[in-house]
Amino acid sequence: MKASQRSLLLLEQCFTMTQMKQIQSHLAVSGTLLDPYAAGRIVAFCAVRDFSYAHRFFQHLPHLCRTAFVCNTMIKALVDEKEHESALALYKRMVTDYGFLPNNYTLSFLLTACTQLGDVCSGSIYHCQAIRLGWESYDFVQNGLIHLYVTCNVLESARRIFDASVNRDVVTWTALINGCVKSDQVEVARNLFDEMPDKNAVSWSAMINGYVQAGLFREALELFNAMQTLSGLRPSHAGVVGALTACAFLGALDQGRWIHAYVDRTKMKLDRILGTALIDMYSKCGCVDAARRVFEEMEERDVFAFTSLISCLANHGHSKDAIELFGRMLTEGVAPNEVTFICVLSSCSRMGMVDHGLEIFRSMSKEYGIEPGVQHYGCLVDLLGRAGMLEEAKQVVRGMPMEPDSYVLGALLNGCRVHGDVELGRELVESIIQRKLDHGGVHVLLSNMYASTSQWDDVVKVRKGMEENRVKKVPGCSSIEVNGEVREFVVGDRSVALVEEVVPLLCWIEKHLKSLRLEEEGGAGVAENCFF
DNA sequence: ATAGGGTTAG
């Protein structure tokens, strides 16, 4: 490139659209617009700022100025605008009408289009083109192909290109690492990660998020820490989001707070994704107020941010606030989606707000165009069942447009338990077992239902039946963080620490609470006898 | 002169 052209390019960065339009008319008058380079610069400049203007300009260009560069730039712009059909049409015109062969730029833009469409068939046609024209080992084409095959779940093809490649760069490696993660081969991904010669912040983030995807949250956090101690790289936005997701699952509050402080310290932009990740981390760690603060700090809130906080409030006993926040969401013009309605309906259910819940359920399809799914019916049945409206709940189950799943029937069964309708409960369990929908939780519910009405023989029967049929309930599990260490508690845990330290403390708390209740009821307090 | 890989809610 000539020095004069380079300085013009730099100068171009300072122009506004209006100035560029002025330059354009000036060029038109002086006849310079017929110069392919000048015309190309105008298209490239406008394509990223005002697409429709660039498009019009392109369509009026004289034939001489429709260079491969201009076509590529327009194809890229069309792909960015998600106008994949038009991008393809332009490509065809470029080849047939203007007589250009696709080059490495053309092919990489077309591959991006195929990847976004998940269209591996068209993608492999361009793959063939690339081979025929000798572009297949060009970095952007090669990496584009790997990305395409990874996205479309054809890991073997991605792997073949990788293995045959003699010019792998950091993008090549990272694309394949993601492919392995997507195909549940997180260990293979880690081996690649260890093997790759250079890593940047994107490759670290990809591996951190790979562990998160695989549910290996401790490994994700270890890697997040290693990134800072070993690589000297600063965790990027995506890395931070991945680490926060891991903290949320582990209940690792200290680590999560540290990351929040890091976000503040480095002035990382609290955008919708990062904000939501923070809200969710605080939510899962039980810090409702911190979650609220992050939410208020965010400059833009989308359906994810709202739903995340609504879910947080609903899960921590603030159902009323959750429903209020739903109202605020509507006022601020953010459209709820199916997940939002699950959270809101379960809030209504816990609050016993039957009418309001029914109204919201009805509004789903009427006002928001969202057809209720099986989970929404589950919430509705739960809402009616908890309120003791078992007949209505049964009618909902009968009238639903899809087969009830174990959660819908489980919600009805729970209603039976709470309101002591053992007969209906028994019928239900039979139908649940007949439909082969029984999971451990259903049996436990039935046994609890018998227990609540003191039908101990039946309790024993259910428990025995569970043993005989080898019905397993996923054990209840929770975790807390103490001094930076995450400690897990699982039902049936009989470890020394638990039996010798935690259980006596729990007994003391229970006795203490009972004595307090006695005091409240006017009875004589016995608190002093309850210390160890 | 035009370009690629990583991230949020039930």
Side-chain angles (χ1 to χ4, degrees):
Chain A
M1 201 204 307
K2 281 182 276 178
S4 57
Q5 287 181 349
R6 222 185 341 259
S7 35
L8 272 175
L9 273 178
L10 280 173
L11 190 64
E12 196 185 291
Q13 303 299 315
C14 313
F15 295 160
T16 62
M17 256 320 273
T18 321
Q19 284 169 325
M20 187 51 96
K21 284 177 190 170
Q22 284 165 354
I23 292 170
Q24 184 203 324
S25 41
H26 191 74
L27 292 177
V29 172
S30 66
T32 322
L33 202 53
L34 290 171
D35 174 57
Y37 184 86
R41 280 320 318 157
I42 295 178
V43 173
F45 181 92
C46 300
V48 289
R49 292 168 178 82
D50 182 347
F51 168 75
S52 65
Y53 184 83
H55 196 60
R56 262 175 291 145
F57 181 72
F58 170 76
Q59 282 174 325
H60 291 106
L61 272 182
H63 231 77
L64 185 71
C65 294
R66 298 206 179 171
T67 56
F69 171 80
V70 165
C71 292
N72 286 340
T73 307
M74 280 316 295
I75 290 173
K76 161 80 161 67
L78 285 165
V79 173
D80 285 346
E81 293 286 313
K82 307 268 177 271
E83 301 264 359
H84 299 104
E85 296 274 310
S86 317
L88 203 67
L90 177 56
Y91 163 67
K92 289 200 173 123
R93 260 190 293 147
M94 171 182 177
V95 177
T96 56
D97 298 356
Y98 314 146
F100 295 113
L101 283 174
N103 63 18
N104 49 337
Y105 287 92
T106 327
L107 287 165
S108 81
F109 301 145
L110 292 171
L111 288 172
T112 306
C114 297
T115 306
Q116 286 176 8
L117 292 168
D119 184 356
V120 72
C121 289
S122 309
S124 30
I125 293 172
Y126 297 127
H127 188 177
C128 294
Q129 285 273 49
I131 294 172
R132 259 192 327 156
L133 299 168
W135 293 116
E136 98 260 36
S137 57
Y138 242 76
D139 47 6
F140 281 84
V141 176
Q142 161 192 286
N143 295 340
L145 283 167
I146 293 180
H147 184 51
L148 166 81
Y149 287 124
V150 162
T151 307
C152 300
N153 292 312
V154 198
L155 186 61
E156 308 80 59
S157 302
R159 183 87 218 195
R160 254 199 304 278
I161 297 170
F162 180 88
D163 287 338
S165 169
V166 288
N167 58 333
R168 297 169 197 154
D169 61 14
V170 60
V171 179
T172 325
W173 286 87
T174 309
L176 191 66
I177 287 174
N178 283 320
C180 296
V181 169
K182 255 192 114 196
S183 317
D184 292 322
Q185 301 179 24
V186 71
E187 278 175 29
V188 181
R190 179 57 196 255
N191 288 335
L192 285 168
F193 181 76
D194 289 336
E195 251 180 83
M196 67 191 287
D198 316 290
K199 304 175 180 63
N200 62 15
V202 177
S203 19
W204 281 90
S205 309
M207 195 61 231
I208 291 169
N209 282 294
Y211 276 131
V212 171
Q213 280 285 306
L216 298 170
F217 305 114
R218 284 169 207 277
E219 286 79 357
L221 286 186
E222 252 167 50
L223 203 64
F224 179 76
N225 292 328
M227 176 177 183
Q228 295 156 79
T229 52
L230 301 180
S231 79
L233 291 166
R234 288 191 9 194
S236 62
H237 190 260
V240 164
V241 170
L244 284 170
T245 311
C247 291
F249 273 96
L250 292 168
L253 180 58
D254 277 356
Q255 174 84 266
R257 278 193 181 127
W258 187 90
I259 297 171
H260 190 179
Y262 173 86
V263 166
D264 285 344
R265 195 170 66 237
T266 58
K267 303 203 165 44
M268 201 177 271
K269 196 165 173 276
L270 190 66
D271 67 359
R272 289 172 295 198
I273 295 178
L274 181 53
T276 305
L278 273 169
I279 292 172
D280 191 49
M281 182 277 292
Y282 280 124
S283 165
K284 302 278 162 58
C285 293
C287 305
V288 181
D289 288 336
R292 280 182 149 128
R293 274 197 298 275
V294 172
F295 180 84
E296 296 303 339
E297 253 178 63
M298 292 170 67
E299 40 195 79
E300 263 187 313
R301 305 174 192 99
D302 61 1
V303 59
F304 282 83
F306 269 101
T307 306
S308 181
L309 189 61
I310 289 174
S311 154
C312 169
L313 295 168
N315 286 331
H316 291 95
H318 303 280
S319 297
K320 194 162 164 271
D321 294 356
I323 291 162
E324 261 175 36
L325 187 61
F326 177 62
R328 177 171 158 197
M329 177 178 182
L330 301 180
T331 331
E332 291 188 14
V334 178
N337 66 15
E338 66 282 359
V339 181
T340 321
F341 280 108
I342 292 172
C343 301
V344 174
L345 287 171
S346 49
S347 285
C348 292
S349 174
R350 286 172 202 173
M351 288 278 291
M353 296 170 62
V354 179
D355 292 338
H356 193 55
L358 282 171
E359 195 186 303
I360 288 176
F361 185 88
R362 287 194 200 104
S363 75
M364 280 183 66
S365 62
K366 227 169 45 195
E367 284 172 47
Y368 303 99
I370 301 169
E371 285 311 315
V374 70
Q375 295 187 66
H376 301 104
Y377 280 97
C379 292
L380 187 61
V381 171
D382 186 51
L383 178 79
L384 296 165
R386 275 177 203 246
M389 299 162 73
L390 292 174
E391 200 42 53
E392 289 83 346
K394 248 165 82 178
Q395 272 173 21
V396 169
V397 175
R398 260 192 234 118
M400 352 179 344
M402 68 289 278
E403 279 292 300
D405 66 1
S406 62
Y407 296 95
V408 173
L409 298 176
L412 189 53
L413 184 58
N414 190 44
C416 298
R417 180 183 66 83
V418 175
H419 296 280
D421 193 337
V422 179
E423 245 351 274
L424 178 57
R426 209 194 300 268
E427 273 171 41
L428 258 173
V429 169
E430 270 162 27
S431 96
I432 289 173
I433 293 172
Q434 261 174 21
R435 293 167 198 244
K436 300 205 186 311
L437 287 174
D438 55 320
H439 54 77
V442 173
H443 294 264
V444 173
L445 267 176
L446 182 65
S447 123
N448 290 349
M449 181 174 70
Y450 287 138
S452 67
T453 50
S454 305
Q455 291 167 271
W456 302 112
D457 293 347
D458 291 313
V459 172
V460 173
K461 237 187 271 169
V462 176
R463 292 281 173 182
K464 274 213 176 120
M466 283 175 74
E467 269 168 43
E468 279 161 18
N469 297 314
R470 304 230 171 93
V471 178
K472 287 224 168 69
K473 184 183 181 301
V474 183
C477 173
S478 69
S479 58
I480 56 164
E481 186 192 72
V482 183
N483 300 329
E485 291 256 325
V486 176
R487 166 73 215 214
E488 260 186 12
F489 296 90
V490 184
V491 169
D493 182 356
R494 290 285 170 272
S495 66
V496 178
L498 199 80
V499 173
E500 289 187 358
E501 293 175 39
V502 182
V503 172
L505 187 65
L506 282 173
C507 291
W508 175 78
I509 291 172
E510 197 181 348
K511 271 190 201 167
H512 195 65
L513 284 172
K514 274 185 188 155
S515 67
L516 285 175
R517 196 185 306 152
L518 281 178
E519 267 175 29
E520 260 177 32
E521 286 166 4
V526 281
E528 60 276 14
N529 299 327
C530 291
F531 293 98
F532 292 103

